[in-house]
Amino acid sequence: MKQFLIFVKKEWLHIWRDRRTLFILLFMPIIQIVLYGFALTTEVKNSKIAIFDQSKDEATMVISNEIAASRYFDLARNLYSYKDIEAAFRKDEMRVAIVFPAKFRYDLLHSNQAQIQLIADASDPNTANTLTNYATSIIKDYQQTINPAQEMPYTIHTQLRMLYNPELKGAYNFVPGVMALVLMLVCAMMTSISIVREKEMGTMEVILVSPLKPFRIIIAKTIPYLLVSMVNIASILLLSVYALEVPITGNLGLLIAESILFTVTSLSVGILISNTAKTQQTAMFTSMMSLFLPTLLFSGFMFPIENMPVPLQVISNLVPAKWYFIIVKDVMIKGLGFASVWKETLVLIAMTSILLVASIYKFKIRLT
């Protein structure tokens, strides 16, 4: 045991003396979580909107003010003819235009019917659809405020309720995905050079002649990176809660335990790559290329897995980030307990065991 602890201390000193690597280890997750957390969002905010008000009555003024005051729209300009609408779209001065017809309030009060025309730039269909939905929702809210008791005969009213994320914040989806992406890349990339570095520095002979068995050597190399990764987990959770305003509704201890398990899985991937690579550059390139795209594509936070062809859905099961992403969403966002995530936990444990066994099998006890 004493020799094992000495080996762990020696590996820790390797990390501590390499200040640039330590800086990357500690600050790259923070930079990535802030960058991805604020940049990668499905929400459409501050879109330019123009209003062509032919009525200029109290109702159109209230609706215009409500739309301009929302966080989704910025009033770019007021329009005075249909020609202005076409010209403004061609100059890319707005994404949506709202047209109020003449006598809008009069028609609304006397015939209970009034029309508003929404014109959107559908060159980006998803954004256009989202923006028109935002505008429609604001208009419906105004309609309810002017006469909440009015019920039209045979009218079907739908009540919409958004669970777990009533404000439809994009960060609720991206934070779990970014956590999986950051932990996987940072942990795997750093450990991927741990063994191959010994080969390049010529210190592998010292390790091989030590009385430690390969299993203990691999565990000893993993522990310092695990300690650094726990600091990363803490910083990521603090940023998620206080910077991105994504609360932890479930058990914090369970979330941390699952994060540590996923970190060990990621470290195991890096150790396996390090055992097979011949140079540090090869190890870094392999870990980057083989983990970044699969994690991004098959974890489920960028593209729905259920929409993929069956062969790709099967492949996605081999990506550890997919299972961690599910766990974080269930525990952090939905507030569920271990009873809901035990299957995903078992998958990660199985993956970790297989990766560690493969790493020990690939660990060469003789220099070639």
Side-chain angles (χ1 to χ4, degrees), residues 71-320:
R71 59 176 177 165
Y72 306 115
F73 298 107
D74 282 339
L75 181 60
R77 56 181 293 189
N78 290 309
L79 303 172
Y80 301 100
S81 69
Y82 281 100
K83 291 183 179 178
D84 291 343
I85 297 176
E86 186 175 352
F89 273 119
R90 286 182 177 177
K91 295 179 181 177
D92 198 23
E93 294 179 345
M94 61 185 183
R95 306 297 291 272
V96 180
I98 296 182
V99 179
F100 293 101
K103 299 181 180 179
F104 174 81
R105 187 169 184 270
Y106 179 86
D107 293 339
L108 184 64
L109 296 180
H110 291 82
S111 64
N112 294 331
Q113 291 184 357
Q115 292 185 348
I116 297 177
Q117 187 178 17
L118 298 177
I119 305 174
D121 178 3
S123 58
D124 184 347
N126 292 330
T127 301
N129 189 42
T130 302
L131 292 177
T132 53
N133 286 336
Y134 289 157
T136 303
S137 177
I138 294 172
I139 294 168
K140 285 184 177 178
D141 287 342
Y142 170 75
Q143 184 179 355
Q144 290 181 351
T145 57
I146 59 175
N147 198 359
Q150 184 177 6
E151 297 286 346
M152 297 296 290
Y154 307 110
T155 300
I156 299 175
H157 296 279
T158 58
Q159 289 187 339
L160 187 62
R161 183 185 177 194
M162 296 294 179
L163 296 177
Y164 311 121
N165 182 14
E167 297 180 3
L168 299 179
K169 291 183 177 179
Y172 279 61
N173 179 54
F174 280 98
V175 164
V178 172
M179 286 176 64
L181 182 65
V182 169
L183 289 178
M184 170 58 79
L185 289 183
V186 172
C187 297
M189 288 176 65
M190 291 303 104
T191 51
S192 66
I193 61 172
S194 60
I195 293 177
V196 72
R197 180 179 56 200
E198 303 283 359
K199 298 176 184 176
E200 288 192 342
M201 295 175 63
T203 56
M204 197 66 189
E205 294 179 6
V206 180
I207 297 175
L208 295 178
V209 298
S210 69
L212 288 177
K213 294 183 178 178
F215 175 75
R216 290 192 174 185
I217 293 175
I218 290 175
I219 298 299
K221 281 191 165 294
T222 306
I223 288 177
Y225 291 101
L226 178 61
L227 296 176
V228 176
S229 299
M230 290 178 69
V231 177
N232 288 335
I233 292 171
S235 61
I236 289 172
L237 291 178
L238 287 173
L239 282 171
S240 301
V241 173
Y242 294 105
L244 301 175
E245 298 180 347
V246 179
I248 301 174
T249 55
N251 188 292
L252 178 61
L254 176 61
L255 180 62
I256 292 175
E258 297 286 357
S259 298
I260 292 175
L261 172 60
F262 178 67
T263 300
V264 175
T265 309
S266 305
L267 294 174
S268 303
V269 174
I271 289 290
L272 180 60
I273 293 173
S274 190
N275 274 328
T276 55
K278 294 183 178 179
T279 63
Q280 293 187 57
Q281 288 79 6
T282 304
M284 291 288 286
F285 182 78
T286 304
S287 59
M288 184 69 184
M289 295 304 297
S290 63
L291 296 176
F292 180 75
L293 283 179
T295 301
L296 201 63
L297 297 176
F298 296 118
S299 61
F301 88 97
M302 287 287 289
F303 308 102
I305 294 176
E306 57 269 20
N307 292 346
M308 298 179 182
V310 174
L312 294 182
Q313 292 186 30
V314 174
I315 293 174
S316 71
N317 294 326
L318 303 176
V319 179

Side-chain angles (χ1 to χ4, degrees), residues 12-80:
W12 170 255
L13 290 176
H14 265 304
I15 300 174
W16 183 252
R17 288 168 181 166
D18 190 354
R19 298 299 174 87
R20 287 184 298 181
T21 303
L22 188 63
F23 180 83
I24 293 173
L25 276 173
L26 293 176
F27 286 95
M28 193 168 77
I30 295 175
I31 294 172
Q32 286 185 324
I33 195 78
V34 171
L35 180 64
Y36 290 137
F38 284 105
L40 297 181
T41 174
T42 55
E43 289 182 88
V44 183
K45 298 179 182 176
N46 304 321
S47 295
K48 293 181 180 178
I49 190 170
I51 297 176
F52 179 23
D53 189 353
Q54 303 175 80
S55 181
K56 297 186 184 301
D57 54 40
E58 180 183 350
T60 60
M61 293 296 292
V62 171
I63 295 175
S64 299
N65 290 335
E66 290 289 333
I67 290 175
S70 73
R71 59 176 177 165
Y72 306 115
F73 298 107
D74 282 339
L75 181 60
R77 56 181 293 189
N78 290 309
L79 303 172
Y80 301 100

